[in-house]
Amino acid sequence: MSTEAATLGPARIALVGNPNSGKTALFNALTGSRQKVANYAGVTVERKEGALTTAGGRTLRILDLPGTYSLRARSPDEVVTRDAILGRLAGEPAPDVLVCVADATNLRLVLRLVLELKQVGRPFVLALNMYDIAQRQGLRIDLERLGAEIGAPIVTTVATRKRGLDDLIAQAEALTISHAGEHASTWREPNAAEIRAAHAEAQRIFRACVKPPERPDTITGKIDDVLLNPAAGLLILATLLFVMFQAVFTWATPAMDLIDGGFAALAGWVGAHLPEGLLGSFIADGLIAGVGSVLVFLPQILILFFFILLLEDSGYMARAAFLMDKIMGGAGLHGRAFIPLLSSFACAIPGIMSTRVIDNRHDRLTTILVAPLMTCSARIPVYTLIIGAFIPQTTVWGFLSLQGLVMFGLYASGIVSALLVSFVIRKVFWRGTVEPFMMELPTYRWPEPRNVLLNLWTRAKIFITRAGRIILPLMVLIWVLATFPYPPEGATGPAIDYSFAGILGGWIEPLLRPIGFNWQMSIALIPGMAAREVAVATLGTVYAVSDPDGATTALSTVLSSQWSLASALSFLAWYVFAPQCAPTLGVVKRETNSWLWPTVMFVYMVALAYLAAFATYHTAVALGAG
Amino acid sequence: MSDALAFDSSTDLASLGRSLGEASRGDAGVIVSVTGQTGAAEAVEADELERRLLEMGFVEGAHVEVLHEGLFGRDPIAVRLDDTRVALRRREASAVTVKFDRTPT
């Protein structure tokens, strides 16, 4: 047998099951770190594949399909599941064996899915996962009878303890050889009457094979009484979100500073050891700075996803969506959009990456489009510089700092405009496409550390390999624009004035004059595309503020003497809206798999920024601040 | 439907069943009918909504109990549905008719 198995080619096994069945935990337990994550062609659904070697030396390729309640696909994820099972995906034959993963304590709904799988005609195994919990509850399942009823082998597994895996692998491998149960697919999309009939049949099997638990889970109900209490629940959620936001914001800072400093030091070292010139500048300021600008987002992404994975694995995420649905729904957003939007206060990039928790495409795109309007941490250096230079340190009404008030106003305009924009998108462009909100509230569970770490590792890998591939070239492009051509012999101004960035700044300056921008401000916008805070450094360069340490103080003195208050306020208004961040656009491209949405985002945000700056400038001038 | 009901006496009304969309916390009963009709404009067609409800387990004969209500407009609601828990908006819940027990448990 073993030599025979080893000579057979690799077999393809697909995992399918309801959401919350522990399917991904089983996938992680089976394949460990032997996983590859990519996208299915043309869609943004993740394709997770792993491999394992059987005792007989045969390779099994395991595909983790998105969770679903039926093969009737309703979201892009479910379309992938259906097409993968039916062998309709381009370049992917139907899997040799299906493993239907079921939560042993919650069999009712999955039995109907099993009946659908039976029609597909692929050999399949039913894995009763979380079997330890079922036993602890005193739930008795007649495995022999159940196997006879569904006509497939049954194995019991505990993915988190790696129990039952060998049995599962052996059963699946045996099916690849025996082809038991294989026939041509008779599956077609069921109508309501057929779903009712399948339900009745599933119910009959359930009653025949499953004795209700002697000690049913009561903890989930008790926890829900607190967490879903209308007032206390929202308060607890707010506290949780506050802690999360604080963590993303503050815990990440030391790591980000370390990465920033490390790459700056590396660039400095390389610059010092390479002969001065193009190559040195390219490696130091282009490549190393570019790689650094990708990696600098990693701490925030890891911390945010750590929290998200805990919330999802514990079962709280669905509760949070329940609590937030009404509030988000008022602006046309899905209940699940609150985490991406909240994270965007730290940085829009992890925020946009986390929109994966939203199933519906329009809901997800709306959230992605408004996420950069939330005031991210990279705007703070710009806001601080301008506010420090132009807003007097006075108090209003005796206790409020005027500077703080302006800062608050900038944050508030970001939030209000995000809600307004999403409202407009959902009422004007995607009218009437409010998806039904209906989701299972899973039983609470302790998150499994190994599982959380593996999923976190996957996230980090995706960001570095996929988003990095888009962000890095954009950063190099910005370096090229800011470096070439060189200033002519005997030039007196800073080098950037003579570069493409300088030339572009000169070109767009007439366009920006109506909103009160001078040419220095216009130039700062081009390298400022690398990241919002880079504009501060560029302003330092164009105003030839040489002392790098005292730069901000020195710069703010220069600015307050060179800009009018109206121009400064206009610059702030611009920064509330403008898409001054190439990495964000890169991530949107990666997440939507198309250049259309980054383009839409760029255009609408520039338009809003221009309008806001125009209105601010002219109002300020009319009030005598010109 | 409402015209037909208007002829019935009030005692019969109680036994006929009410929409899950109007139920309050603690109301419990057995589902008597599932349609896709919510009386409001939906993104998905009635037939699609009906199938989604069925696939979630909202099927005639299933036991349902309202466990929790949202803070604003008591919407959405969380229900126990046989042995699972499901959250849904009242809008979609109004497609489900339930014969409630007279005394909520």
Side-chain angles (χ1 to χ4, degrees):
Chain A
M1 168 85 186
S2 68
T3 49
E4 185 197 342
T7 54
L8 288 165
R12 303 173 71 256
I13 315 275
L15 303 185
V16 53
N18 289 165
N20 311 310
S21 58
K23 192 169 51 62
T24 300
L26 189 64
F27 175 72
N28 283 341
L30 285 170
T31 61
S33 51
R34 289 177 69 186
Q35 299 182 3
K36 267 194 312 205
V37 182
N39 268 20
Y40 287 98
V43 287
T44 52
V45 181
E46 266 171 24
R47 182 183 192 283
K48 289 176 81 179
E49 198 187 78
L52 65 88
T53 311
T54 66
R58 189 170 182 204
T59 303
L60 299 184
R61 285 163 58 200
I62 316 282
L63 194 60
D64 184 19
L65 293 172
T68 184
Y69 290 99
S70 84
L71 293 186
R72 231 168 42 76
R74 304 165 310 186
S75 69
D77 282 38
E78 293 174 3
V79 169
V80 162
T81 301
R82 180 197 66 199
D83 289 353
I85 290 174
L86 295 173
R88 286 185 192 164
L89 287 179
E92 284 201 41
D96 298 304
V97 172
L98 300 174
V99 172
C100 181
V101 187
D103 173 354
T105 62
N106 191 3
L107 282 177
R108 215 181 282 264
L109 290 183
V110 78
L111 284 177
R112 208 191 47 73
L113 179 65
V114 166
L115 294 176
E116 268 192 80
L117 290 181
K118 243 173 104 171
Q119 299 180 330
V120 172
R122 305 310 305 168
F124 73 96
V125 189
L126 178 62
L128 297 184
N129 195 28
M130 308 193 226
Y131 197 67
D132 55 338
I133 300 175
Q135 282 178 316
R136 220 175 301 144
Q137 291 182 1
L139 184 80
R140 285 216 301 281
I141 304 171
D142 184 343
L143 297 176
E144 212 166 298
R145 172 94 193 258
L146 185 57
E149 290 279 2
I150 65 169
I154 293 183
V155 292
T156 59
T157 57
V158 184
T160 50
R161 305 256 179 283
K162 295 197 160 204
R163 259 187 252 154
L165 300 188
D166 293 338
D167 192 17
L168 174 62
I169 294 166
Q171 293 283 3
E173 196 190 3
L175 281 178
T176 66
I177 298 164
S178 71
H179 300 279
E182 195 169 313
H183 60 81
S185 171
T186 58
W187 184 87
R188 61 181 175 80
E189 192 165 299
N191 60 31
E194 286 162 338
I195 297 176
R196 280 195 176 85
H199 242 303
E201 170 68 0
Q203 189 78 354
R204 185 190 65 74
I205 299 175
F206 183 81
R207 290 223 176 94
C209 306
V210 183
K211 294 275 162 293
E214 292 158 14
R215 298 172 291 280
D217 162 67
T218 52
I219 298 168
T220 295
K222 283 177 191 154
I223 299 177
D224 270 348
D225 282 342
V226 180
L227 294 186
L228 293 188
N229 175 292
L234 274 173
L235 207 66
I236 294 167
L237 175 64
T239 314
L240 249 168
L241 295 181
F242 179 77
V243 170
M244 207 168 123
F245 176 45
Q246 280 293 310
V248 174
F249 207 73
T250 58
W251 297 359
T253 311
M256 289 171 78
D257 289 347
L258 209 66
I259 294 173
D260 238 3
F263 276 90
L266 184 65
W269 185 85
V270 168
H273 284 76
L274 280 176
E276 194 153 325
L278 196 57
L279 183 70
S281 167
F282 173 71
I283 293 178
D285 304 328
L287 271 187
I288 295 178
V291 172
S293 70
V294 174
L295 291 183
V296 80
F297 294 112
L298 209 51
Q300 288 187 337
I301 289 173
L302 289 181
I303 292 173
L304 176 67
F305 274 96
F306 175 72
F307 278 99
I308 289 180
L309 289 168
L310 286 188
L311 295 184
E312 276 191 335
D313 286 8
S314 63
Y316 184 72
M317 191 65 102
R319 271 79 180 180
F322 171 85
L323 291 168
M324 290 304 287
D325 183 65
K326 197 75 179 178
I327 301 170
M328 306 298 290
L333 289 162
H334 192 272
R336 291 193 165 207
F338 72 97
I339 288 207
L341 291 185
L342 184 90
S343 337
S344 301
F345 278 110
C347 175
I349 287 174
I352 287 168
M353 284 176 72
S354 63
T355 58
R356 284 173 184 283
V357 297
I358 307 168
D359 300 323
N360 178 265
R361 185 165 164 273
H362 282 174
D363 284 337
R364 181 159 175 237
L365 280 173
T366 309
T367 313
I368 289 178
L369 285 177
V370 303
L373 291 175
M374 298 306 198
T375 301
C376 68
S377 53
R379 282 177 175 98
I380 295 174
V382 180
Y383 288 176
T384 323
L385 171 72
I386 308 290
I387 289 176
F390 290 92
I391 309 296
Q393 273 183 316
T394 50
T395 47
V396 280
W397 301 316
F399 66 98
L400 283 173
S401 140
L402 185 61
Q403 292 190 337
L405 211 59
V406 172
M407 191 66 132
F408 175 79
L410 294 170
Y411 268 84
S413 25
I415 298 170
V416 170
S417 55
L419 295 180
L420 281 177
V421 168
S422 70
F423 186 81
V424 168
I425 293 176
R426 297 319 300 256
K427 295 290 158 179
V428 178
F429 296 104
W430 288 325
R431 287 182 63 179
T433 52
V434 182
E435 275 290 299
F437 173 86
M438 208 189 298
M439 61 168 83
E440 199 178 338
L441 300 173
T443 309
Y444 286 109
R445 291 199 179 88
W446 283 110
E448 193 63 28
R450 195 185 119 86
N451 220 16
V452 170
L453 288 179
L454 260 175
N455 291 336
L456 206 56
W457 171 236
T458 309
R459 266 319 115 203
K461 245 184 351 194
I462 290 176
F463 176 72
I464 293 172
T465 58
R466 314 262 312 170
R469 239 180 268 167
I470 301 167
I471 297 173
L472 184 59
L474 284 173
M475 304 312 259
V476 171
L477 175 71
I478 290 166
W479 170 81
V480 167
L481 289 178
T483 310
F484 296 104
Y486 286 141
E489 286 290 326
T492 48
I496 192 169
D497 292 2
Y498 305 94
S499 70
F500 288 123
I503 296 165
L504 278 173
W507 283 349
I508 58 173
E509 197 245 324
L511 294 175
L512 298 178
R513 209 174 294 145
I515 61 172
F517 283 22
N518 56 29
W519 69 268
Q520 287 96 335
M521 292 156 92
S522 309
I523 287 181
L525 297 185
I526 310 286
M529 281 300 294
R532 288 178 171 87
E533 74 268 22
V534 174
V536 173
T538 314
L539 283 173
T541 317
V542 286
Y543 282 109
V545 179
S546 49
D547 173 23
D549 291 322
T552 312
T553 344
L555 184 57
S556 90
T557 320
V558 174
L559 291 189
S560 58
S561 66
Q562 300 262 340
W563 296 6
S564 68
L565 176 60
S567 290
L569 292 177
S570 165
F571 196 68
L572 283 178
W574 174 270
Y575 258 84
V576 170
F577 298 101
Q580 290 282 155
C581 181
T584 299
L585 296 169
V587 152
V588 173
K589 149 79 175 91
R590 143 78 185 133
E591 290 293 319
T592 59
N593 222 359
S594 130
W595 280 108
L596 172 67
W597 296 109
T599 311
V600 167
M601 178 181 276
F602 186 83
V603 169
Y604 103 80
M605 288 182 79
V606 166
L608 271 186
Y610 197 89
L611 283 175
F614 187 87
T616 307
Y617 182 67
H618 287 277
T619 311
V621 168
L623 293 175
Chain B
M1 179 80 187
S2 56
D3 282 346
L5 285 183
F7 293 103
D8 291 319
S9 69
S10 58
T11 45
D12 286 345
L13 259 181
S15 67
L16 263 174
R18 277 184 298 130
S19 155
L20 182 60
E22 295 156 12
S24 306
R25 188 169 179 203
D27 287 355
V30 176
I31 295 179
V32 288
S33 94
V34 179
T35 67
Q37 309 293 340
T38 61
E42 288 293 329
V44 295
E45 289 168 13
D47 167 63
E48 172 62 24
L49 180 63
E50 180 180 1
R51 289 194 279 176
R52 287 195 194 186
L53 285 164
L54 290 171
E55 281 163 356
M56 227 25 194
F58 288 95
V59 65
E60 288 81 358
H63 288 268
V64 65
E65 179 189 351
V66 180
L67 297 174
H68 302 280
E69 297 171 329
L71 179 61
F72 307 98
R74 295 163 52 226
D75 193 28
I77 54 172
V79 301
R80 184 200 306 283
L81 183 60
D82 283 335
D83 30 38
T84 59
R85 289 177 185 75
V86 178
L88 76 168
R89 293 194 186 126
R90 287 188 179 272
R91 210 173 129 117
E92 277 88 47
S94 64
V96 177
T97 312
V98 180
K99 182 174 184 292
F100 288 103
D101 307 339
R102 276 159 208 252
T103 47
T105 46

